[in-house]
Amino acid sequence: MKPVPQATSLRRAPVQRRSAERLTRILDACADLLDEVGYDALSTRAVAQRAGVPIGSVYRFFGNKRQMADALAQRNLERYAERVTERLASGGVRDWRTAMDAVLDEYLLMKRTAPGFSLVDFGNQIPVGARRAEPNHRVADRLTELLSTYVGRAPDEELRRVFLVAVETADTLVHLAFRVSPEGDERIIEEARELLRAYLARVLD
C-alpha cells in the first residue's frame, strides 16, 4: 500500500503503518461519500461509519470535514503527479506536445474515475483550506518540476508562470466540458487542447 502523503490539514501525521492504513480508509470513505451525498451533506460521523473506524479516529486526524476534504485534495494531487510521472516514463513522450497531452489525459481520467474528484479535485471546487493555498498554484509548481526536462527549459519563475496560465485555462475549460456533459464534452476538450498547444507553442517552440 502506498503511504498517505502528509497533509498540512492533519492534526497528527500517521507514524505507524496501522495508523496510515486507517487514514487511507478515512480518506477513501470521504471520497465515496462526496460522490454519493455531496459536500454539504458530508459529515465526519458518516465518514467514520463508512470507514469502519471510531469517530475519535477521524478527529485524531481532522478537526472538521473541511480539513478532511483538503487532505483528500492534497492526496489527489500526489496521485496525479505519480500518474503523470509514470506516463512520462513510459517511453511514449517525445516532446512537450505529447508531454502536455499526457498531463491533460491523466487529469481527465481522474476526473472521470477517481471517487470524489469531481467535487474536490485539487481543492478548487469547494471552499477547502486556506484561501492563500490556491490549488492551481500547487499544480503549476508540480508540473514545472516534472516537465522542465521535457520542454527543454529551466524550472524557473518564467516557466512556472507559463504553466500557471496553462493550468488556469485548462481548469476553466475542463470544468465547462463537464458542465455540458457528465463525461466531459469531447468537442470542448479538444478545443481546450488546441488552445493550450497554441499558447505553449508561442513560449516553448
Side-chain angles (χ1 to χ4, degrees):
M1 186 184 72
K2 293 181 179 178
V4 178
Q6 183 174 344
T8 57
S9 58
L10 290 183
R11 280 179 160 180
R12 181 181 302 177
V15 177
Q16 298 180 341
R17 179 181 178 85
R18 181 179 177 184
S19 181
E21 290 172 346
R22 182 167 290 187
L23 176 57
T24 294
R25 292 206 309 273
I26 290 169
L27 292 179
D28 287 346
C30 176
D32 288 339
L33 286 168
L34 279 169
D35 281 342
E36 293 174 20
V37 305
Y39 180 73
D40 289 341
L42 183 72
S43 71
T44 52
R45 185 168 299 278
V47 169
Q49 290 175 346
R50 176 64 61 89
V53 302
I55 187 67
S57 293
V58 176
Y59 286 121
R60 179 182 180 187
F61 295 116
F62 307 109
N64 51 51
K65 69 178 183 180
R66 169 179 267 183
Q67 292 177 357
M68 189 163 47
D70 189 45
L72 178 62
Q74 291 180 59
R75 187 178 75 166
N76 285 342
L77 179 56
E78 294 301 323
R79 289 184 172 179
Y80 173 67
E82 289 174 3
R83 293 169 69 123
V84 170
T85 299
E86 290 172 5
R87 179 83 172 267
L88 294 175
S90 67
V93 175
R94 301 178 303 277
D95 53 24
W96 70 259
R97 288 175 174 80
T98 50
M100 293 309 299
D101 280 343
V103 166
L104 182 57
D105 289 345
E106 290 302 324
Y107 178 69
L108 291 169
L109 187 59
M110 288 189 72
K111 188 85 171 168
R112 289 167 175 148
T113 62
F117 195 83
S118 62
L119 281 181
V120 173
D121 59 39
F122 304 127
N124 54 349
Q125 282 293 86
I126 56 178
V128 296
R131 294 176 66 88
R132 65 181 179 276
E134 298 189 68
N136 282 344
H137 285 259
R138 296 200 302 265
V139 177
D141 288 342
R142 189 60 61 88
L143 291 180
T144 302
E145 175 186 321
L146 291 175
L147 297 177
S148 59
T149 300
Y150 293 90
V151 301
R153 296 278 296 271
D156 54 18
E157 189 59 31
E158 181 182 358
L159 186 61
R160 182 191 177 279
R161 184 175 62 254
V162 167
F163 281 134
L164 178 59
V165 171
V167 168
E168 290 282 358
T169 302
D171 184 46
T172 299
L173 292 176
V174 168
H175 283 123
L176 172 61
F178 279 83
R179 288 199 304 273
V180 171
S181 170
E183 288 299 309
D185 186 273
E186 288 294 343
R187 291 167 298 181
I188 294 176
I189 289 170
E190 285 309 308
E191 291 283 353
R193 199 182 300 273
E194 289 302 318
L195 189 152
L196 289 171
R197 285 176 176 171
Y199 166 67
L200 291 170
R202 181 177 62 82
V203 181
L204 300 178
D205 277 347

